[in-house]
Amino acid sequence: MTSDRKRILLNDLALHLMPDAIAPDDQRVTVAGNSLVRMTLAELALPEARMIWTDFRHSASLAALQAALRAEGGLDRLVLAADGEEGEQAFSVMCAVLSLLPVLHRRSGGRIELICTAGGAVASLVAFVERIGPRLARDGVAVTLAILEPRKDHAAA
């Protein structure tokens, strides 16, 4: 039954960095982002997923995303990624986590998975997870941070 499926939200960069991070057969997937290329690729890779165009840098856009997720019944899993060389992206991910906490299911073992490529902004994400992790763990929400080596995508010559 569709309502029994776990609800997962990931940003377009998370899907790009870790395409195998989800199993869409047992989850209702929503992809949020504002990269035309990554959102188009997400639509092709996950035709059953809901796409929500979101600019994670703007509070109004995050509020609209939260409202859409609340209308769907909330979230079980939140997967967000940032480029570790981009402080603004790391800050946007932290703001998104705080903005989306109200729609995260806590009693059923909600999860927040943060992904960051190596870089100067990693320290702020590490400190953020260290601050919010214990409090969220008491509420039944697991928070993890994976730090990846930067991808070296090679353009065709």
Side-chain angles (χ1 to χ4, degrees), residues 15 17 23 33 37 40 45 52 71 84 90 100 116 119 123 128 131 144 146 149 153:
L15 186 59
L17 289 176
V37 171
T40 301
I52 300 178
L100 298 174
C116 188
F128 177 72
R131 276 193 313 270
T144 60
E149 290 301 314
D153 294 326

Side-chain angles (χ1 to χ4, degrees), residues 4-157:
D4 292 337
R5 294 168 71 191
K6 298 284 185 184
R7 290 181 169 89
I8 177 175
L9 169 77
L10 33 117
N11 65 354
D12 55 358
L13 184 57
L15 186 59
H16 176 71
L17 289 176
M18 298 187 74
D20 299 328
I22 60 163
D25 293 339
D26 64 349
Q27 300 178 53
R28 297 184 68 192
V29 179
T30 300
V31 179
N34 66 348
S35 165
L36 178 61
V37 171
R38 288 193 301 255
M39 290 294 282
T40 301
L41 291 173
E43 276 188 300
L44 294 172
L46 301 168
E48 300 296 320
R50 179 173 183 203
M51 303 293 152
I52 300 178
W53 288 85
T54 305
D55 187 337
F56 284 87
R57 298 170 300 162
H58 298 285
S59 59
S61 191
L62 286 172
L65 177 60
Q66 184 199 68
L69 295 169
R70 184 180 307 281
E72 289 183 350
L75 285 177
D76 298 293
R77 186 173 167 210
L78 177 61
V79 183
L80 300 174
D83 180 338
E85 294 295 335
E86 299 291 330
E88 183 181 20
Q89 279 188 24
F91 180 73
S92 295
V93 163
M94 290 183 268
C95 289
V97 167
L98 296 174
S99 296
L100 298 174
L101 276 177
V103 295
L104 189 66
H105 297 155
R106 294 166 190 236
R107 289 185 214 127
S108 60
R111 291 186 355 208
I112 299 172
E113 298 166 42
L114 303 179
I115 305 161
C116 188
T117 57
V122 170
S124 60
L125 277 173
V126 168
F128 177 72
V129 169
E130 287 174 352
R131 276 193 313 270
I132 69 164
R135 179 177 55 90
L136 290 176
R138 286 190 297 274
D139 290 341
V141 176
V143 181
T144 60
L145 172 61
I147 302 168
L148 308 175
E149 290 301 314
R151 287 178 57 152
K152 293 187 176 24
D153 294 326
H154 299 286

